[in-house]
């Protein structure tokens, strides 16, 4: 006899590029899922891609054995492809969409949220259409969150290349959701601007609808993980990495051109940090890793530059807490613009050294007035900012950290999810989702 499985009362489904991808919005999916358990959801599912497909796509991945486990009650699903070699890439999307149809047709009150418009929001929209045509009970409210690179990579590229249909597909699917969100004001403005360009060229009416419907929802961060950090564990982690508290400049994010790590290496080499015994720690992985190793070796201070490509989730908070300064000198690129800056917020929460960054994209919304701001692509300014932080006294450093932490508390994952659920409740088709 098949054992009885209790029917859930309230479900959250998040469709995303999930862990182990080194991506702020993969972390956001985890944080929303964890917060949902505290908000009365008794079933939470993250629906994503098989590991081998993420690897084949060239996405920067964390070490698989370094990803923290999810809490009981959260299930990560990676649907297998549907069809054979005659359906080249659509097989995985068919598997993902098909699984969503199954989740949407059992009558369980469900909030379904995507954290990337293409293909995640389009997959949810397609699955809802199919589910409602089955005649089975469907009780779903949908939420689509634009993260920014989904607009620059897909919508903007399609507009520039004259590929009207593909851009219209993404924007129409976005608007089909009950709740439309963007991760920053910058991202919201970007969505509307690209839609306006499409409208001007083809006579469509996307921009006005998006301007009316898209709300801002800043990324959800696990504040508690940083506030509950143990000093003894921080000391142990730093010792294991051959580092000392307050003895290094830190970068921790993807290793990609838009992150400005090349400018950081140049700025570090021109600063007084090497002479002061400050190392440069570059943590992360990505397509520019080999180039950055070569740049560091040629900088004249290669022996003081440490690359960490295997940082685990539980190490990150300690590396941030121990740094002299955290530098993220992002710069706009055609393929990517920093639409928020989750790593900056995490460092601000950690109590680590002051942040040095640019105001590219949505970074200003992430850091407020609590960071040292440098111009884009300016190693000399980065050097000056590093020197300023290294020269700070203990009291000044503590004051910077305290202001930064206070600003960052607004991004606590429960607070962010509550605001999303309030929007869901305002549009829900069923009272069950408003409890």
């Amino acid at each position: 006899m098949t054992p009885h499985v209790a029917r859930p009362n309230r479900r959250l489904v998040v469709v995303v590029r999930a862990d182990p991808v080194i991506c702020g919005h993969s972390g956001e999916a985890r944080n929303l899922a964890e917060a949902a358990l505290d908000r009365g959801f008794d079933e939470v599912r993250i629906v994503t891609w098989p590991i081998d497909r993420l690897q084949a796509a060239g996405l920067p991945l964390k070490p698989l054995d370094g990803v923290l486990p999810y809490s009981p009650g959260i299930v990560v699903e990676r649907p297998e492809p549907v069809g054979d070699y005659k359906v080249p890439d659509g097989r995985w999307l068919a598997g993902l969409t098909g699984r969503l149809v199954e989740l949407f047709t059992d009558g369980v009150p469900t909030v379904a949220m995507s954290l990337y418009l293409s293909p995640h929001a389009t997959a949810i929209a397609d699955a809802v259409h199919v589910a409602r045509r089955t005649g089975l009970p469907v009780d779903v409210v949908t939420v689509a969150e634009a993260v920014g690179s989904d607009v620059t990579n897909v919508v903007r590229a399609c507009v520039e290349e004259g590929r009207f249909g593909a851009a219209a597909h993404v924007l129409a699917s976005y608007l089909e959701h009950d709740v439309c969100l963007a991760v920053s004001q910058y991202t919201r403005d970007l969505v509307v601007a690209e839609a306006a360009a499409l409208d001007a060229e083809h006579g469509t009416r996307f921009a006005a609808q998006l301007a009316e419907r898209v709300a801002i929802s800043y990324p959800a961060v696990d504040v508690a993980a940083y506030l509950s950090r143990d000093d003894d564990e921080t000391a142990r982690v730093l010792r294991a990495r051959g580092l000392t508290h307050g003895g290094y400049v830190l970068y921790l994010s993807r290793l990609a051109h838009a992150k400005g790590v090349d400018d950081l290496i140049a700025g570090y080499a021109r600063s007084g940090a090497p002479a002061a015994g400050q190392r440069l720690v570059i943590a992360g992985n990505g397509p520019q890793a080999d180039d950055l190793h070569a740049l560091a070796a040629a900088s004249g201070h290669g022996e003081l530059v440490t690359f960490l490509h295997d940082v685990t989730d539980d190490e990150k908070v300690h590396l941030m807490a121990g740094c002299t300064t955290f530098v993220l000198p992002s710069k706009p690129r055609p393929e990517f613009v920093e639409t928020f800056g989750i790593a900056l917020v995490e460092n601000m929460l950690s109590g680590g050294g002051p942040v040095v960054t640019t105001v590219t994209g949505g970074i200003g919304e992430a850091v407020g007035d609590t960071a040292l701001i440098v111009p884009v692509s300016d190693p000399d300014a980065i050097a000056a900012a590093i020197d300023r932080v290294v020269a700070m006294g203990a009291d000044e450093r503590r004051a910077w950290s305290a202001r930064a932490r206070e600003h960052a508390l607004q991004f606590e994952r429960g607070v962010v999810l509550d605001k999303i659920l309030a929007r869901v409740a305002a549009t829900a088709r069923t009272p069950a989702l408003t409890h």
Side-chain angles (χ1 to χ4, degrees):
M1 177 180 292
T2 303
H4 174 72
V5 178
R7 182 177 185 272
N9 295 309
R10 198 171 182 223
R11 173 192 292 142
L12 174 68
V13 176
V14 183
V15 186
V16 70
R17 293 179 308 189
D19 280 343
V21 179
I22 299 175
C23 169
H25 305 292
S26 295
E28 183 183 7
R30 170 187 287 270
N31 287 326
L32 290 171
E34 296 284 352
L37 295 179
D38 296 331
R39 296 301 189 270
F41 287 86
D42 53 355
E43 181 177 290
V44 180
R45 294 181 182 270
I46 296 176
V47 184
T48 184
W49 308 97
I51 297 291
D52 61 341
R53 296 315 304 161
L54 297 174
Q55 293 170 329
L59 290 165
L61 304 183
K62 305 172 187 175
L64 294 179
D65 58 359
V67 178
L68 290 174
Y70 289 85
S71 294
I74 299 174
V75 177
V76 178
E77 295 196 44
R78 304 180 185 274
E80 290 298 314
V82 174
D84 58 20
Y85 68 94
K86 296 186 288 294
V87 190
D89 289 331
R91 292 185 293 159
W92 287 273
L93 184 57
L96 186 145
T97 305
R99 179 58 184 140
L100 292 175
V101 171
E102 294 165 358
L103 290 171
F104 295 168
T105 51
D106 61 3
V108 172
T110 298
V111 177
M113 182 175 183
S114 66
L115 298 187
Y116 208 85
L117 299 185
S118 178
H120 302 139
T122 54
I124 286 179
D126 290 346
V128 169
H129 280 301
V130 173
R132 289 181 177 145
R133 286 180 172 85
T134 64
L136 297 171
V138 178
D139 193 350
V140 179
V141 178
T142 58
V143 180
E145 181 177 280
V147 303
S149 53
D150 43 8
V151 181
T152 55
N153 276 358
V154 180
V155 178
R156 176 182 289 175
C158 289
V159 170
E160 293 174 349
E161 297 166 10
R163 302 174 68 185
F164 159 73
H169 182 214
V170 174
L171 294 179
S173 296
Y174 188 20
L175 286 165
E176 284 189 32
H177 286 66
D178 299 301
V179 177
C180 300
L181 303 173
V183 296
S184 60
Q185 181 66 50
Y186 168 81
T187 302
R188 183 185 183 279
D189 293 344
L190 175 66
V191 170
V192 174
E194 294 304 324
L198 190 71
D199 292 347
E201 183 71 21
H202 297 282
T204 49
R205 297 180 292 106
F206 289 118
Q209 298 176 72
L210 291 164
E212 179 182 354
R213 292 196 53 209
V214 177
I216 297 168
S217 177
Y218 290 123
V221 178
D222 182 9
V223 168
Y226 295 87
L227 300 187
S228 62
R229 178 186 57 82
D230 180 73
D231 286 340
D232 291 338
E233 180 63 11
T234 297
R236 188 199 67 76
V237 168
L238 297 186
R239 281 197 306 272
R241 290 294 191 175
L243 301 172
T244 58
H245 199 288
Y248 57 96
V249 174
L250 178 64
Y251 168 89
L252 194 158
S253 190
R254 290 183 298 115
L255 303 185
H257 288 288
K259 298 291 186 174
V261 191
D262 52 345
D263 298 325
L264 170 56
I265 292 172
Y268 168 78
R270 298 176 196 181
S271 76
Q278 292 280 326
R279 301 190 65 83
L280 174 59
V281 175
I282 299 173
N285 216 330
Q288 206 188 4
D290 291 342
D291 293 341
L292 293 173
H293 275 272
L295 280 175
S299 70
H301 298 288
E303 75 284 358
L304 292 175
V305 181
T306 299
F307 285 87
L308 302 178
H309 300 306
D310 59 346
V311 172
T312 62
D313 286 342
D314 53 358
E315 275 187 298
K316 179 171 66 171
V317 59
H318 301 293
L319 290 174
M320 288 179 166
C323 70
T324 301
T325 180
F326 184 91
V327 187
L328 179 67
S330 288
K331 49 191 173 185
R333 298 266 302 181
E335 74 279 5
F336 178 83
V337 178
E338 199 81 58
T339 55
F340 183 72
I342 293 174
L344 295 168
V345 170
E346 291 173 334
N347 186 79
M348 291 156 65
L349 289 166
S350 75
V355 163
V356 175
T357 189
T358 64
V359 287
T360 300
I363 285 178
E365 297 171 70
V367 301
D369 63 354
T370 71
L372 283 76
I373 302 300
V374 297
V376 168
S377 301
D378 192 337
D380 287 335
I382 293 172
I386 291 173
D387 286 341
R388 180 180 172 189
V389 175
V390 170
M392 284 183 182
D395 289 344
E396 184 180 6
R397 187 184 307 278
R398 279 194 293 270
W400 275 89
S401 295
R403 286 196 306 114
R405 176 173 282 178
E406 184 64 28
H407 176 82
L409 290 174
Q410 67 182 295
F411 308 117
E412 195 276 324
R413 64 192 187 187
V415 172
V416 171
L417 181 60
D418 285 344
K419 292 179 180 179
I420 294 173
L421 294 178
R423 294 186 180 279
V424 166
T427 60
R429 296 184 176 87
T430 170
L433 288 172
T434 67
H435 295 337

